[in-house]
Amino acid sequence: MTTLTPVLSATWDVKDSWTLSTYTKHGGYRGLKKALKKQPGELVQAIKDSGLRGRGGAGFPTGMKWGFLPPDDGKPRYLVINADESEPGTCKDIPTMLSAPHTLIEGVIITSYAIGCNHAFIYLRGEVVHVYRRLINAVREAYEAGHLGKNIHGSGFDLDVTIHSGAGAYICGEETALLDSLEGRRGQPRLKPPFPAVAGLYARPTVVNNVESIASVPAIIDRGVAWFTGMGTERSRGMGFFSLSGHVERPGQYEAPLGITLRELLEFAGGMRGGRPLKFWTPGGSSTPIFTDAHLDTPLDYESVGAAGSMLGTRALQIFDDTTCVVRAVMRWTEFYKHESCGKCTPCREGTFWLTQVLKRIEKGHGTPADIQQLLDTCDSIAGRSFCALGDGATSSVISSVKLFRDEFEQHVSTGECPFDHAASALFTYSDSLEGAHA
Amino acid sequence: MTYDETTLAQLRDDAADIVSRYPVKRSALLPMLHLVQSVDGFVSPDGIRFCAERLDLSAAEVSAVATFYTQYKRRPNGEYQVGVCVNTLCAVMGGDRIWDELSEHVGVGNDETTADGKVTLERLECNAACDYAPVMMVNWEFFDNQTPDSAKQVVDDLRAGKDVAPTRGPAKVCTFKEVSRVLAGFDDGRANEDQGVGAPTLAGVKAAKAQGWKEGKK
Ligand SMILES: Cc1cc2nc3c(=O)[nH]c(=O)nc-3n(C[C@H](O)[C@H](O)[C@H](O)COP(=O)(O)O)c2cc1C
Ligand code: SF4
Ligand code: FES
């Protein structure tokens, strides 16, 4: 049995866990003290050696990303934290910032020192106002304690941090759209290259990292590379959050070594709701192909999940039991992508619209046998042909669900109705007399 | 612009504060649009002109940005923005039903405001709280594990002018304008208010303790 490894979440159950005093009492800012005694290059090397990979979805090696910055030319370079957390199913960065914002702030300071940045930004999604309060508060506490500002603890290193609130747009989680948004523009992706490391915020060299990636840095510096590489699998080192939601007894945040399996996680989470059978789940959020009970023992690391045909993504495990209609689930995700498509490129803008039309038709029982092939054809003209990864992500659940549950799509078409009782999937009981009010 | 002198002076001070946070002025636009909403309750024509003037942009440039983001409202918003998450996970766990019952109960649909100006309903996408499904947000505070009845009670209380506490967050839900000011980066002193941490947030820590893990054990 794999052991759970709370690190970022270790103090979440302590009284006033979000305050500087609680954080410091439990070893907080020890990593910063150690970091300031080292050369920046040593820190970049340590993160490279740790094998830490980006926790925001793509899994790019963090130390390598930092290493891509061109040599210092005396002009500004930036660290931008991606705190836009909006991929459906993903719900780990928000509790991190709510319960222990200083893990992120300490990580920001160490990272900024390592890459030679004097002004860092945290781009927070706008729809979580208490998180914004906690971040502002944490930054103020950090200034007062001398962790931020001029000549931090006599090191000669200066750093300012700006917390910036978005305004409701999933696409702003894509790192180049995020940069445009932070520059006060519509959040639409930029053509790459140039990559942000070369020309990012204000066309200056910029590192964009996820909250969890940067919040993991202080522990690595404090406890050492060997401690971190002692967890996880050969190419997926360390611990990470596994966010369980849906039809499980105890949904929530489980911090565990990469490579743990859903079977093990379910054990911690008290199993499926009422002992019902598992039907399908997302390993890494709604942009990753769905899995079934055949994947209960797939190690949840980048390589194994990839080899099994999906992606580890953000480790957002949305879990559905046998009461759930897969057509309904996929239709809703697709509506989300249609809604969030930024409109910049035709395959995604038009494609997500047509996918939604066809899926709605099938779900309502008005589909034709040709509609199922139509879905796959439309996915074909989106995936690999869109400007950014949102388009690809929109096709993942459609393609994988048709592959795994084609008979269920066909049944909607042939019987002219959805065979499922939606009330059976809900957490509360209700009778079905209201359907269709003001939708 | 039709702002009176005091309002305009305050807006200018606040705008200067926002601009000072960035190396390049234009970056202040998103927080300034939140600021405008904190005064007008939506992105008003006056507000657009104000942002344009402060940031040396055209009104068209400001509008183009404002219309891109769903949190910026083009019409006067209700005092409370009530959003029911209807993305897949929440929808399946009961969000669809909550939406149907709440919408019927209040008598308005998506992006519509009650006649008393109190409540604007919204069908929300995932709000990063799926482990608390079904989720409702009121002025961007968390109302976790909702039922149709609990959701209706919250809205009834808001419309009756009662203080309402979220399940995670501050002691009470502030108004749309007050919250917009926080999103513009102005502290309202409520960061240390707390309704406690929910069970899903602590599920992993608790399971680890059951395995014999102790905080601080390296
Ligand atoms: C449509 C879309 C949405 C994204 N949303 C997020 C997000 O909310 N948070 C995040 O950290 N990364 C998100 N990403 C990934 C970022 O583009 C980027 O890879 C990441 O922030 C890099 O940080 P990391 O290397 O630390 O993971 C998104 C990507 C796409 C294509
Ligand atoms: S793929 Fe979609 S979100 Fe990405 S640039 Fe194209 S339209 Fe915008
Ligand atoms: S799906 Fe509702 S909060 Fe994520």
Side-chain angles (χ1 to χ4, degrees):
Chain A
M1 173 60 95
T2 306
T3 327
L4 291 171
T5 50
V7 178
L8 307 191
S9 60
T11 56
W12 288 2
D13 64 343
V14 178
K15 188 176 176 298
D16 296 343
S17 64
W18 63 90
T19 60
L20 178 64
S21 69
T22 302
Y23 185 64
T24 310
K25 217 177 293 166
H26 292 263
Y29 288 99
R30 220 163 43 199
L32 174 62
K33 284 221 173 75
K34 292 185 188 170
L36 291 175
K37 292 201 187 99
K38 294 186 199 288
Q39 291 303 314
E42 289 176 70
L43 296 170
V44 176
Q45 192 57 46
I47 297 304
K48 279 185 185 164
D49 294 343
S50 77
L52 174 66
R53 293 171 66 171
R55 302 296 193 229
F60 193 83
T62 304
M64 199 191 292
K65 185 186 276 191
W66 298 359
F68 284 156
L69 289 182
D72 188 3
D73 61 359
K75 292 197 218 113
R77 48 181 62 208
Y78 298 106
L79 170 67
V80 177
I81 302 302
N82 191 339
D84 194 53
E85 188 162 73
S86 324
E87 163 86 0
T90 311
C91 48
K92 63 192 178 67
D93 298 338
I94 294 300
T96 301
M97 293 182 284
L98 204 52
S99 287
H102 283 286
T103 53
L104 174 61
I105 305 299
E106 185 182 4
V108 165
I109 305 169
I110 297 173
T111 304
S112 296
Y113 175 69
I115 65 170
C117 153
N118 301 115
H119 194 165
F121 296 84
I122 299 176
Y123 185 105
L124 176 68
R125 71 178 294 181
E127 301 104 321
V128 284
V129 70
H130 210 53
V131 178
Y132 196 124
R133 294 189 185 98
R134 291 269 162 93
L135 284 177
I136 296 186
N137 191 58
V139 165
R140 190 189 34 241
E141 287 181 316
Y143 272 106
E144 285 164 7
H147 299 320
L148 284 175
K150 295 263 176 265
N151 189 19
I152 295 168
H153 300 306
S155 63
F157 169 61
D158 304 337
L159 179 65
D160 287 310
V161 173
T162 297
I163 317 285
H164 180 95
S165 157
Y170 166 64
I171 188 58
C172 291
E174 195 284 330
E175 57 185 16
T176 61
L178 183 148
L179 293 174
D180 259 37
S181 178
L182 184 50
E183 290 182 3
R185 299 168 198 281
R186 299 163 74 92
Q188 290 187 314
R190 300 174 179 175
L191 192 65
K192 291 192 264 195
F195 287 91
V198 175
L201 186 64
Y202 313 127
R204 293 293 306 159
T206 302
V207 167
V208 183
N209 270 134
N210 169 257
V211 169
E212 189 186 351
S213 313
I214 294 304
S216 302
V217 167
I220 297 173
I221 299 303
D222 181 34
R223 302 184 199 185
V225 167
W227 162 78
F228 192 76
T229 56
M231 292 180 283
T233 58
E234 197 186 334
R235 291 177 59 206
S236 300
R237 298 289 190 190
M239 75 294 163
F241 282 110
F242 293 84
S243 307
L244 273 64
S245 62
H247 292 136
V248 297
E249 287 289 338
R250 288 189 295 277
Q253 307 305 318
Y254 295 85
E255 214 177 344
L258 301 187
I260 194 169
T261 65
L262 177 59
R263 192 185 298 284
E264 292 174 301
L265 285 163
L266 277 176
E267 193 109 335
F268 294 122
M272 295 294 292
R273 170 185 76 146
R276 297 198 71 97
L278 166 68
K279 182 172 171 182
F280 63 96
W281 55 293
T282 62
S286 64
S287 301
T288 63
I290 60 171
F291 274 173
T292 63
D293 60 355
H295 304 94
L296 273 165
D297 297 309
T298 304
L300 296 172
D301 59 48
Y302 296 99
E303 292 67 38
S304 309
V305 175
S310 189
M311 288 174 287
L312 189 61
T314 52
R315 289 151 283 117
L317 284 62
Q318 306 172 87
I319 298 163
F320 300 93
D321 69 17
D322 62 338
T323 63
T324 316
C325 172
V326 78
V327 180
R328 176 189 184 202
V330 171
M331 190 272 280
R332 235 8 117 70
W333 280 321
T334 309
E335 249 189 328
F336 164 79
Y337 291 104
K338 182 198 78 171
H339 186 244
E340 300 297 333
S341 166
C342 82
K344 181 168 180 145
C345 70
T346 315
C348 166
R349 185 185 61 238
E350 303 291 322
T352 52
F353 173 81
W354 286 112
L355 283 180
T356 309
Q357 297 291 102
V358 175
L359 279 164
K360 272 191 175 158
R361 195 153 76 207
I362 298 176
E363 203 227 341
K364 288 214 172 78
H366 305 152
T368 67
D371 277 347
I372 300 169
Q373 189 55 42
Q374 179 63 55
L375 285 177
L376 296 178
D377 291 347
T378 308
C379 286
D380 243 6
S381 51
I382 302 173
R385 294 187 163 81
S386 299
F387 191 79
C388 85
L390 185 145
D392 299 329
T395 66
S396 291
S397 68
V398 181
I399 298 173
S400 58
S401 65
V402 171
K403 191 153 118 207
L404 294 165
F405 297 100
R406 193 175 187 114
D407 49 338
E408 206 167 302
F409 284 79
E410 286 169 351
Q411 196 183 353
H412 279 76
V413 171
S414 63
T415 62
E417 61 180 15
C418 174
F420 290 88
D421 171 15
H422 291 181
S425 302
L427 273 190
F428 46 82
T429 50
Y430 66 89
S431 65
D432 230 6
S433 59
L434 240 177
E435 291 290 0
H438 292 281
Chain B
M1 281 184 277
T2 57
Y3 295 119
D4 64 49
E5 244 168 72
T6 342
T7 311
L8 195 58
Q10 177 74 49
L11 272 171
R12 286 198 174 129
D13 280 358
D14 290 342
D17 181 310
I18 295 173
V19 167
S20 76
R21 297 174 204 154
Y22 302 93
V24 173
K25 203 149 94 169
R26 181 166 178 156
S27 284
L29 183 52
L30 267 68
M32 277 180 58
L33 287 165
H34 285 302
L35 178 70
V36 161
Q37 299 210 112
S38 78
V39 174
D40 290 331
F42 73 117
V43 176
S44 61
D46 273 353
I48 288 174
R49 278 193 290 274
F50 174 76
C51 292
E53 178 210 287
R54 291 287 107 182
L55 301 178
D56 301 322
L57 298 169
S58 71
E61 284 172 306
V62 174
S63 289
V65 173
T67 51
F68 185 83
Y69 298 92
T70 54
Q71 275 182 295
Y72 299 132
K73 304 299 175 190
R74 284 180 244 187
R75 281 169 285 143
N77 204 69
E79 206 174 320
Y80 297 97
Q81 176 81 12
V82 176
V84 179
C85 178
V86 290
N87 201 299
T88 300
L89 198 280
C90 281
V92 165
M93 305 297 283
D96 272 355
R97 179 67 179 194
I98 295 174
W99 171 263
D100 286 346
E101 288 201 30
L102 189 64
S103 174
E104 168 153 310
H105 181 71
V106 183
V108 299
N110 185 32
D111 202 20
E112 291 173 8
T113 304
T114 51
D116 60 6
K118 284 278 186 190
V119 168
T120 303
L121 284 195
E122 183 180 4
R123 290 169 66 80
L124 278 192
E125 297 297 0
C126 177
N127 222 90
C130 323
D131 48 348
Y132 289 93
V135 173
M136 180 167 88
M137 304 295 294
V138 179
N139 287 346
W140 314 119
E141 308 286 5
F142 291 105
F143 286 73
D144 303 319
N145 298 121
Q146 292 298 292
T147 66
D149 288 340
S150 67
K152 283 187 269 189
Q153 188 65 52
V154 165
V155 169
D156 287 348
D157 288 348
L158 290 169
R159 297 184 75 186
K162 293 186 197 160
D163 283 353
V164 172
T167 50
R168 282 178 295 151
K172 67 164 204 164
V173 177
C174 304
T175 65
F176 181 77
K177 289 184 181 177
E178 287 166 345
V179 158
S180 297
R181 190 168 167 81
V182 177
L183 294 179
F186 296 97
D187 195 355
D188 65 356
R190 292 182 182 274
N192 289 318
E193 293 179 12
D194 192 47
Q195 297 292 325
V197 193
T201 298
L202 297 181
V205 175
K206 224 172 140 183
K209 282 188 171 164
Q211 276 191 325
W213 171 85
K214 283 194 195 66
E215 201 271 308
K217 198 185 82 184
K218 301 286 137 74

